[in-house]
Amino acid sequence: MTTGNRRLASDAAIVERIHMHIANGTTDLADGTLREPVANYRTTERFVAEIDVFRSRPVAFCPGAAIADPGAYLSRDAGGTPVVAVRGDDGVVRAFRNVCRHRGAAVVCGAGRATALACPYHGWTYQLDGRLRGVPHKHGFPGLDLDANGLAPLAASEHHGIVFVTQHGPATPGPEIEELAGVISQDLQFATSEETEHPVNWKILAETFLEGYHIRSLHKDTFFPVQFDNLNIIETFGPHSRITFPYRNVSRPFDTGSRAALRSRLTYVYHLFPNTMIATFPNQLLMVMLEPLATDRTMAITYTWRDIVNPLRGDPGLAPRGAAEDFTVARSIQRGPASSPNEHHQFCRFEGAIAHFHRTLDAALADHAR
């Protein structure tokens, strides 16, 4: 059970609950079911409102390891806004609208490292703290106040290896974010990142991470041979959730205090509301950010860490193969409503984490509308 101020159960308690479910042929059950209107995945009005939710709270932007050194920067659209995060010479991560104060061009593209941020259009140059440092042929701008024309700042904070950015609203996540302590551990080394666009609403993609009811039918050659079908532990911490997917070898005795042993016997999927998933695997950790582009388009940004202590443990291709199966069925769900008789997506008591996600989103939308 949880102890102290923790909202999530200890690893040992999770394993005990898994053993109980195995013995009884059960799984965690939600209190009830949920019917989510299909229109909530398809209308422009709903999409615009959801983007406002993204902009009004601290949302995971990138791993701190992706901009580990002074001068390292990373830019992408977040909540429909061009954003750049950069680590200053003082080691602090700052975020800005990636918009030059001269004519609005993107100051940087992609990721890199620099001593200053120089707009490629006319060469306006900004310090790593966002202050405007130089303007070519400055005499052409009589009265230009350099101090008043720095990059527009956004609130940024770094917690447990993750950079959060807020466009307006609270500057930092709530105290429940402390549950992520140690998830990105010292035995993991940041390795790669990639972006893939999917013709799917972002919520449909998020739902594929949040239940194990489909393990046997969809993942019969990937996850099902090594995991249980429809056996999950579901926990919530504030707006977020954690879903435990046990492996079949969890039935054998092992040291629950060993991180390597635990990773090889269960996968934790942390859902950081609204759009970020962190999944632990035997030899790697994945962070997937689902960036909404339109009602039917999502950019999935995946960051990968490798286990540097036990690099050969497990099958490194398992997660990508399973994810490909999830993304394929998500595309079929996106296509379905155009000719479907369904007015709702129905979520059963096995899918409690999805219900928590939608109820949290509904509450955030209601708060934002007031």
Side-chain angles (χ1 to χ4, degrees):
M1 303 299 292
T2 56
T3 59
N5 294 321
R6 283 186 58 82
R7 295 168 170 84
L8 298 179
S10 68
D11 296 330
I14 289 293
V15 172
E16 183 179 348
R17 284 170 64 179
I18 291 169
H19 288 165
M20 179 194 70
H21 282 315
I22 293 172
N24 297 328
T26 56
T27 188
D28 278 11
L29 295 174
D31 292 336
T33 61
L34 175 73
R35 287 164 54 85
E36 183 70 9
V38 169
N40 286 350
Y41 299 81
R42 300 183 66 81
T43 66
T44 299
E45 292 79 8
R46 172 73 178 216
F47 178 80
V48 170
E50 289 171 354
I51 292 299
D52 284 342
V53 168
F54 274 68
R55 293 171 175 168
S56 65
R57 62 189 309 114
V59 175
F61 181 77
C62 70
I67 47 174
D69 301 317
Y73 63 84
L74 187 151
S75 66
R76 66 175 180 85
D77 282 2
T81 300
V83 175
V84 57
V86 58
R87 193 173 298 275
D89 291 327
D90 56 1
V92 175
V93 173
R94 297 175 177 85
F96 307 95
R97 296 183 185 273
N98 187 18
V99 177
C100 182
R101 299 303 299 275
H102 173 213
R103 295 269 296 279
V107 175
V108 295
C109 294
R113 188 176 177 186
T115 57
L117 307 179
C119 177
Y121 197 5
H122 297 93
W124 282 37
T125 303
Y126 302 86
Q127 297 179 181
L128 298 181
D129 63 5
R131 287 183 291 178
L132 180 59
R133 186 172 77 184
V135 174
H137 308 292
K138 186 175 179 292
H139 62 276
F141 298 86
L144 177 68
D145 184 349
L146 296 184
D147 291 336
N149 282 276
L151 295 174
L154 300 172
S157 58
E158 193 170 4
H159 305 271
H160 306 301
I162 304 171
V163 173
F164 292 82
V165 172
T166 310
Q167 297 186 35
H168 56 84
T172 60
E176 61 274 356
I177 208 67
E178 295 306 312
E179 296 296 326
L180 296 182
V183 174
I184 304 176
S185 56
Q186 295 299 314
D187 57 345
L188 295 170
Q189 183 177 57
F190 182 69
T192 62
S193 66
E194 63 176 341
E195 296 185 354
T196 307
E197 185 174 326
H198 298 276
V200 181
N201 183 275
W202 71 278
K203 299 187 297 296
I204 294 174
L205 289 176
E207 290 161 1
T208 67
F209 290 86
L210 301 180
E211 48 90 3
Y213 180 41
H214 69 282
I215 295 293
R216 182 171 186 166
S217 54
L218 182 62
H219 300 304
K220 58 182 179 296
D221 296 319
T222 52
F223 292 132
F224 180 60
V226 295
Q227 292 183 337
F228 292 89
D229 180 51
N230 200 28
L231 196 170
N232 301 107
I233 307 298
I234 299 173
E235 304 167 275
T236 61
F237 55 114
H240 319 297
S241 62
R242 183 175 74 173
I243 305 90
T244 304
F245 295 81
Y247 294 80
R248 296 179 187 272
N249 62 358
V250 76
S251 299
R252 300 195 294 269
F254 71 99
D255 178 8
T256 57
S258 166
R259 188 177 299 274
L262 191 74
R263 281 197 197 128
S264 67
R265 287 166 173 82
L266 58 84
T267 281
Y268 284 135
V269 173
Y270 295 82
H271 175 207
L272 305 185
F273 182 81
N275 66 326
T276 298
M277 309 293 170
I278 302 175
T280 67
F281 290 97
N283 64 352
Q284 62 185 349
L285 181 142
L286 302 180
M287 178 186 294
V288 182
M289 298 174 177
L290 303 172
E291 190 61 45
L293 303 177
T295 58
D296 59 353
R297 290 192 300 120
T298 302
M299 183 67 72
I301 307 156
T302 302
Y303 297 96
T304 303
W305 287 256
R306 306 293 187 198
D307 188 332
I308 58 178
V309 177
N310 299 286
L312 301 179
R313 185 185 298 272
D315 176 3
L318 178 64
R321 293 195 303 272
E325 293 166 340
D326 285 327
F327 293 154
T328 296
V329 80
R331 288 193 290 273
S332 76
I333 295 171
Q334 183 69 43
R335 292 193 300 268
S339 59
S340 172
N342 297 333
E343 295 183 358
H344 295 82
H345 289 171
Q346 302 185 61
F347 300 104
C348 67
R349 294 183 67 194
F350 305 137
E351 299 167 303
I354 296 178
H356 177 69
F357 165 44
H358 283 290
R359 287 167 180 149
T360 301
L361 180 57
D362 287 344
L365 289 165
D367 286 344
H368 191 67
R370 285 200 285 267

